[in-house]
Amino acid sequence: MSVGRLVGIARHDRPRGPIEEIDAVEVTVEAGLAGDYRGAMKPDGPRKRQISLITASGWAAAMADLDLAPDAIAWSERRANLLVDGIALPREAGARIHIGETLVIEAVQECDPCSRMEDIHAGLKAALMPKWRGGLLGRVLNGGHIAIGDIIRIEA
């Protein structure tokens, strides 16, 4: 089983709303990441985009492709919820991502970067396309409280 760390948490309360980086948050099956507008369940069933994750190494590689320092653009501008380090995210639907004591996220699909990335920096969308650098989307299977520094485990 692969092990890594949670190194960033971010949310936004409305489409195109400001990004808020936080140190800890509650995550539930019903609402996803507390305070993030994408997490709420639809009345007709589970959402595919409840929560999004990217890797620190993928973000750094995208920045390098743009000849930028790794922190030249904040990772949260990607509009992902969780930044992970020391672990490769699964690339298949159904894999389980365990964070902290109880949170379990099911990988659903790749998170393709949108054209909004071009508004942030020319070429960012293309830099996030290879090797799942844009991250993955998941749905919450079991909720829990998470905080920066929590251990992440992948179960295929």
Side-chain angles (χ1 to χ4, degrees):
M1 182 180 290
S2 300
V3 176
R5 288 228 178 255
L6 179 63
V7 295
I9 305 169
R11 64 185 176 190
H12 52 295
D13 63 358
R14 62 187 179 278
R16 297 191 172 268
I19 301 296
E20 176 188 22
E21 289 190 41
I22 54 179
D23 294 329
V25 70
E26 191 69 28
V27 183
T28 65
V29 171
E30 299 78 21
L33 194 101
D36 189 78
Y37 89 100
R38 287 211 181 265
M41 297 291 279
K42 289 183 177 178
D44 59 349
R47 297 193 60 163
K48 288 185 175 185
R49 292 188 63 118
Q50 260 192 310
I51 197 161
S52 55
L53 300 87
I54 63 168
T55 64
S57 61
W59 183 254
M63 294 297 98
D65 282 0
L66 297 171
D67 292 323
L68 297 172
D71 60 352
I73 301 171
W75 73 271
S76 56
E77 290 299 316
R78 171 66 183 100
R79 307 189 75 72
N81 298 119
L82 306 178
L83 179 67
V84 304
D85 194 24
I87 195 166
L89 293 173
R91 294 186 181 180
E92 62 279 336
R96 304 285 198 272
I97 303 160
H98 300 260
I99 304 176
E101 296 293 320
T102 61
L103 180 62
V104 181
I105 299 167
E106 178 185 24
V108 175
Q109 69 187 52
E110 182 177 7
C111 185
D112 293 324
C114 67
S115 58
R116 178 135 192 230
M117 297 300 102
E118 290 304 298
D119 295 341
I120 295 166
H121 191 282
L124 182 55
K125 179 179 177 180
L128 288 168
M129 291 298 286
K131 301 179 182 177
W132 284 54
R133 287 181 188 166
L136 72 78
L137 301 173
R139 81 175 116 241
V140 179
L141 297 181
N142 193 65
H145 184 82
I146 58 171
I148 291 176
D150 280 353
I151 297 291
I152 298 174
R153 301 168 316 281
I154 305 294
E155 176 189 339

